[in-house]
Amino acid sequence: MTITLRPGTTVMFTGDSITDSGRSASEDGLGSGYPLHIAGEWGLRHPDRPVTWLNSGVGGHKVMDLEARWQTDVLDARPDVVSILVGINDVGWHTLDPEGYMIPVEDFAAGYDRLLAPLAERGTGLILVEPFLLPYSDSLDIDDDHHIGPDDWKQWRADLDPKIQAVRDLAHRYGARLLAADGMFAQLAAATGPAHWAADGVHPTPAGHAALREAWLRLVA
């Protein structure tokens, strides 16, 4: 069921660094990624239907981190629509953090469910964006301290797939719109290679954010 954005609708984007995209340094608080792209394109297409766009993404956050700030950052804002993209840190944390550990899919799904339940009770429109990982086969330097090799990518993929399925199951359970981002990026990468869409396999390039924008806008009217 398409979500209709009426004049005066408030949309909240939330999640990790992909959503954050430097929002704290931007004048409008939207950052430079897909939330800004969506807001700009919507304003161009629908000047007669102004929407309030909010972004509460925080880099590095996992589902458990969203839970800790959910009341203050999301529920208290009382948005009409909430768009969530979270999960890749729930996969890679054990690789990137010496004190990290594997987060079972059951814990991931249960925490995500606790995010959605109070929104569903309010009748909030929900858009769930699958976490994604582009198909790299080479080694990459994520940052100065973290080097990710092919075996790590295989582990990430094995850990990510059931968590993507958990997001799909939750979208079905709550009647949310699902943005199937992992499959979308796999298809795009097959034609161009992954670096065009996400140089490190995780964080989108401008083209990657534009792809998310177009897919997101197809879920609303």
Side-chain angles (χ1 to χ4, degrees):
M1 183 175 179
T2 300
I3 294 174
T4 300
L5 303 185
R6 296 180 172 84
T9 293
T10 297
V11 176
M12 170 73 76
F13 298 99
T14 194
D16 53 33
S17 60
I18 301 169
T19 301
D20 184 337
S21 293
R23 66 180 177 88
S24 62
S26 61
E27 291 186 6
D28 54 19
L30 289 177
S32 60
Y34 74 93
L36 178 67
H37 288 231
I38 290 167
E41 187 66 22
W42 179 267
L44 175 65
R45 297 182 190 180
H46 305 286
D48 58 328
R49 282 194 278 163
V51 170
T52 298
W53 306 95
L54 304 174
N55 185 348
S56 62
V58 176
H61 272 201
K62 303 175 285 297
V63 165
M64 66 177 70
D65 300 309
L66 265 64
E67 277 197 87
R69 60 186 180 86
W70 202 241
Q71 183 67 48
T72 300
D73 284 5
V74 177
L75 298 180
D76 286 353
R78 304 196 69 83
D80 303 293
V81 178
V82 174
S83 174
I84 306 171
L85 169 52
V86 68
I88 194 60
N89 294 306
D90 293 81
V91 172
W93 187 40
H94 65 286
T95 305
L96 300 176
D97 186 338
E99 298 182 359
Y101 56 88
M102 294 284 289
I103 297 175
V105 64
E106 294 81 7
D107 292 354
F108 172 82
Y112 209 131
D113 185 41
R114 289 191 293 270
L115 299 177
L116 299 177
L119 295 171
E121 290 177 2
R122 295 179 175 182
T124 305
L126 298 172
I127 297 176
L128 308 188
V129 185
E130 291 177 354
F132 52 86
L133 180 66
L134 274 75
Y136 271 87
S137 58
D138 298 327
S139 298
L140 290 174
D141 292 321
I142 299 296
D143 55 36
D144 291 340
D145 299 319
H146 300 108
H147 177 80
I148 304 300
D151 289 342
D152 296 310
W153 287 115
K154 291 178 183 178
Q155 292 178 22
W156 284 26
R157 172 51 64 182
D159 194 9
L160 178 62
D161 284 344
K163 288 169 181 169
I164 290 174
Q165 186 59 50
V167 174
R168 293 171 180 169
D169 292 343
L170 288 166
H172 178 73
R173 183 189 309 170
Y174 282 98
R177 301 308 311 275
L178 177 72
L179 197 167
D182 189 63
M184 176 188 76
F185 279 122
Q187 185 175 9
L188 291 171
T192 64
H196 184 73
W197 308 103
D200 62 1
V202 172
H203 297 93
T205 61
H209 279 288
L212 287 171
R213 174 198 69 201
E214 289 304 296
W216 196 97
L217 287 169
R218 286 194 289 271
L219 303 179
V220 300

